Each structure stands twice: as structure tokens, then as C-alpha cells.
Amino acid sequence: MKVTLLGTGTSGGVPSLGCGCEVCRSTDPRDKHRRSVALLETDTTRLLIDSGPDIREQLLPLPFKPIDAVLLTHCHYDHVAGIDDLRPFCVFGAIDIYADETTAKCVKRVMPYCFGSDLYPGVPLLNLHVIQPHEPFKVGDIDVFPVRVMHDNMPILGYRFGEFAYITDMKRIEDTELPYLFDVKTLVVNALRFTKEHHSHQLVKDAIRFAHDIGAEDVYLTHVCHHIGLYTEASAKLPDGVKLGYDGMTINVSSFY
């Protein structure tokens, strides 16, 4: 299975509007971080994790092929604002959206024109599926296992796919949840910056500790802000096995237990 990090930035993206720091002025493409989205692909299946406000730009360079599902982590703007931009993919049929109950209700509230019995022509065709943590399901040939993490005091979803897991916007995770992530070999996880605590996002040190707790061997940091520093300098601070993610980075992983 191939994982492409289409976006690796926090809610404001990098460069940050109005900022003239060296990261925001950098010409290194690895210092540009659009809102966090991942694309998972096998020979027969393609699925997105989240669909933020940059999704049109993120998908334009890619082959125009069906999207079999969108897995939502939570309903914050930077993770769902691009759902309507998936409209062109409806030529292949309705798009399956998977979300927990809170997020599903939120999507219906912010996109009421996509749901109901009297849809006007041209709206995105969406099949919204409510899922629960620890209840596995399958999209094509990809096995999906939702897990629960905490975004400040807000429960949200992360996802495990065999030996690979994708978790974003986590501040903490309950000890009872950790066993569901044991034996994950490759982990993509949020790490906002190196210093200055944040109420709802973990720092680099927290992400490294979490990866160690579940035994992950290859770790990629996502959902970063400009305070993470320049790509080359930030990467030099990371221990072996931990890499700073960047937009367009591809990761080949095993998807089997």
C-alpha cells in the first residue's frame, strides 16, 4: 500500500498568512505545508483521510481516478472543508464518507444541501456512514480499524490499517486505547512544533514518546506549524526512525496484520 501525504500542515497552513519568518519565506518546497490530508492506494482501492480546504489543489496533479472512500478524523474546518470540492469524482458514483456520529452530524449541518430527498442538480453525491471506534470495516481491499484519541477534550478518530496507523490532531490517548495500536510498524502522527505547549496538539517530544509506547519503527510527523523550523534544521534534531513529513512525501507500507 502506498501512502501519500498530500498535506502536512496545521489549520492555518504554512506559509502562515501575515508571517515573514524564515520558514514562511523559504523556497524549499518541503517547508510548504498545506492542510493535513493523506491518500492511501493499493492496486484497486484509493481512499482519503480527511478532505480539507486545500484538497482541490492537492488532487489536481494526480490521475483523475475514483475515490473509494473518505475517512474523516473530526469535523474541524481544516479537515472537512474540501468535501464539496470532491464533486467531480461523483462521475464515478456517490462518494462514501466514513465518520463517527458527532462528525457525521456536523457534516450534515454544514452541508445540508447534500442530504435529504430533494437534492438540486449538481450537488456532491455522498453516502455518509457512521462508524465506531474498534469496529473494523473494509474499503475495497483495505482493512480499516478506527481508534479513539483526544483532541484536547474532544474525542476524535485515528485509523489503523494493519501495520500502518495515521493519527492527527491528538493531544493525548487513553492507556486503554494503546493496545489497539500495538505492533504498528509505520506511524504518521501529529507534532505541532518542538516547544511551547498547546492545549489540543502534542509536540514533537510527545509524538516520539507515543511512537515508542506503541513500538512504531518508522515515524512521520504531520500537522506541523511554521514554528517547527526549516525542514533541514528540524530534520537534524529528530532521532533515527523519525522523519518530518512534507507535502507529496510517499511511504510504502504493509497493510497486513
Side-chain angles (χ1 to χ4, degrees), residues 32-54:
K32 314 295 183 187
H33 300 282
R34 293 169 293 191
R35 270 62 74 93
S36 292
V37 172
L39 175 69
L40 278 61
E41 298 176 282
T42 67
D43 290 340
T44 59
T45 305
R46 297 171 88 218
L47 62 83
L48 287 172
I49 304 178
D50 289 330
S51 181
D54 301 318

Side-chain angles (χ1 to χ4, degrees), residues 73-128:
T73 58
H74 61 299
C75 199
H76 283 169
Y77 178 86
D78 56 315
H79 295 266
V80 302
I83 292 176
D84 191 278
D85 286 333
L86 301 178
R87 186 182 310 196
F89 292 92
C90 293
V91 299
F92 302 111
I95 297 174
D96 290 309
I97 309 284
Y98 294 86
D100 64 17
E101 185 174 4
T102 299
T103 303
K105 287 179 178 178
C106 176
V107 169
K108 285 186 175 182
R109 186 172 65 250
V110 300
M111 302 180 66
Y113 57 92
C114 294
F115 303 97
S117 58
D118 188 22
L119 302 180
Y120 68 83
V123 301
L125 303 176
L126 307 177
N127 292 328
L128 188 56

Side-chain angles (χ1 to χ4, degrees), residues 5 7-11 14 33 36 79 151 166-172 187-198 200-211 219-229 234-235 237-239 242-246:
L5 303 181
T8 51
T10 190
S11 57
V14 182
H33 300 282
S36 292
H79 295 266
H151 184 24
Y166 182 95
I167 295 174
T168 187
D169 286 52
M170 179 172 73
K171 176 62 178 179
R172 59 184 176 85
L187 172 68
V188 174
V189 65
N190 63 297
L192 190 66
R193 53 198 178 212
F194 282 96
T195 59
K196 192 179 178 183
E197 292 293 329
H198 191 276
S200 63
H201 291 276
Q202 60 183 5
L203 304 184
V204 172
K205 63 181 176 63
D206 305 313
I208 293 171
R209 184 184 307 115
F210 167 66
V219 183
Y220 300 84
L221 305 181
T222 192
H223 211 283
V224 303
C225 71
H226 55 160
H227 298 125
I228 197 83
S235 295
K237 298 178 183 178
L238 298 174
V242 180
K243 299 179 180 66
L244 180 58
Y246 57 83

